[in-house]
Amino acid sequence: MPGTLSIIATPIGNLGDITFRAIETLKTVDMILCEDTRVTKKLLAHFEIATPTMSYHHHSAEAKIREIFALLQEEKHLALVSDAGTPGISDPGNILINYLVQEDPTIPITCIPGPSAVIAALSISGFRTDKFLFLGFPPHKKGRQTFFQEVSASSHTVVFYESCHRIEKCLSELIATQSPDLRICICRELTKKFEQVYRGTVGGLVNMRVNPKGEFVIILSHS
Ligand code: SAM
C-alpha cells in the first residue's frame, strides 16, 4: 500500500483560521511539502510543529516529483501546503497531484479543507454564487486581451486573482474593456489587519482610490 498525501489548507492571513485537523495532521505526517519552506516554517513555529519540511514549488523539476512519488511508495504520509490557502487552487499543487493520479491512481490523496481566497472573497461579495467563473490570474503579457474578453463575455459572476505588481494596470484595463455598469467587488488583504473591501461599478473605479499594496481578489457581476 502506498502512503497518503494530505492536501492541507492553511490561513490566508489570520493564523486563527487554521483548522484543528490541519494542525493535528501537520504534527503527525512524516514530511510537509511546502511551496516556500521559509513561509511555512513561520506557521509551523507558531503552532509548535516540528515535522520536517521539503520544498515543492513552481520551479520544482520532475526529479523532485519523482522523489515525492518514491516517498509515497515507501508508505510515507506526506502533507502538501502552499504559502496560503488551499493547495492546488492557482498554485503548483495541482501539477503534483495530477502526476500522482496518473502515475498511481491507488495513492490515497485526501483533503483537509479550510481557507481559500477565492471562496472567502465570493462569500462576502453579495454577488450570485450559485454559478461563477473563476479565471485564476490574468496572464502577464500574451493573452491578457483575451482574458478581459472572457470576463466581458461571461453572464456569470467572474472572480480572479491579481498581484500587487499589476493591480493598477488591471483596474485600468477593466475600465477600458468592460461596461461601466458592471458591478465590482475588490477584496484586499482578506482576514488581515488592514482588510479592505471596495464595492461599486467599473465606471466608478476612477474614484475608488484602491490601495495597490497587498493581495487582491476581484469579483465582477452583471446583476
Ligand atoms: N491557493 C491559494 C488559495 O486557495 O487561496 C491561492 C494561491 S494564489 C498563488 C495567491 C493569490 O491569492 C494572491 O495573489 C491573491 O490574489 C489571492 N490571495 C491570497 N491571500 C489573499 C488575501 N488574504 N486577500 C486577498 N487575496 C488573497
Side-chain angles (χ1 to χ4, degrees):
M1 275 294 288
T4 296
L5 178 65
S6 294
I7 311 298
I8 304 186
T10 56
I12 58 168
N14 188 320
L15 292 183
D17 292 336
I18 199 160
T19 67
F20 290 124
R21 203 153 77 89
I23 294 176
E24 217 36 60
T25 310
L26 288 169
K27 278 185 177 163
T28 54
V29 292
D30 295 301
M31 176 85 75
I32 303 171
L33 311 173
C34 313
E35 188 176 359
D36 183 336
T37 50
R38 291 162 304 181
V39 172
T40 300
K41 275 182 180 163
K42 287 183 198 153
L43 178 85
L44 299 182
H46 183 86
F47 291 105
E48 299 179 350
I49 298 169
T51 309
T53 58
M54 177 171 141
S55 75
Y56 169 71
H57 48 71
H58 264 302
H59 304 293
S60 290
E62 200 179 319
K64 177 58 79 70
I65 297 186
R66 281 200 296 273
E67 189 184 338
I68 295 167
F69 179 71
L71 287 170
L72 290 165
Q73 296 303 316
E74 289 164 21
E75 299 185 19
K76 300 283 190 226
H77 184 181
L78 308 181
L80 175 68
V81 298
S82 42
D83 287 351
T86 300
I89 309 300
S90 276
D91 66 29
N94 68 318
I95 298 170
L96 172 66
I97 297 164
N98 187 39
Y99 177 93
L100 298 175
V101 168
Q102 309 250 13
E103 204 65 21
D104 180 358
T106 70
I107 296 172
I109 300 177
T110 175
C111 64
I112 300 192
S116 184
V118 57
I119 299 301
L122 280 167
S123 76
I124 55 170
S125 70
F127 298 158
R128 282 190 68 167
T129 52
D130 50 338
K131 289 179 188 171
F132 62 84
L133 175 66
F134 175 52
L135 292 175
F137 286 95
H140 293 188
K141 290 192 181 107
K142 199 164 167 271
R144 231 175 139 85
Q145 203 179 341
T146 316
F147 178 93
F148 288 106
Q149 279 166 2
E150 205 172 346
V151 171
S152 44
S154 175
S155 55
H156 304 308
T157 296
V158 177
V159 53
F160 63 91
Y161 291 152
E162 187 53 292
S163 104
C164 57
H165 306 296
R166 281 170 289 278
I167 186 72
E168 287 173 310
K169 182 169 183 254
C170 173
L171 298 182
S172 304
E173 287 165 309
L174 284 174
I175 293 169
T177 60
Q178 309 299 312
S179 154
D181 299 331
L182 192 63
R183 293 173 71 200
I184 187 163
C185 174
I186 303 172
C187 298
R188 173 180 174 269
E189 297 286 83
L190 289 173
T191 77
K192 300 183 192 177
K193 191 172 175 190
F194 297 110
E195 169 176 312
Q196 272 179 307
V197 180
Y198 302 88
R199 300 175 194 271
T201 60
V202 166
L205 274 176
V206 271
N207 301 317
M208 223 179 254
R209 293 168 181 253
V210 175
N211 180 341
K213 293 195 183 121
E215 301 198 275
F216 297 87
V217 182
I218 297 178
I219 314 175
L220 297 151
S221 168
H222 289 283
S223 53

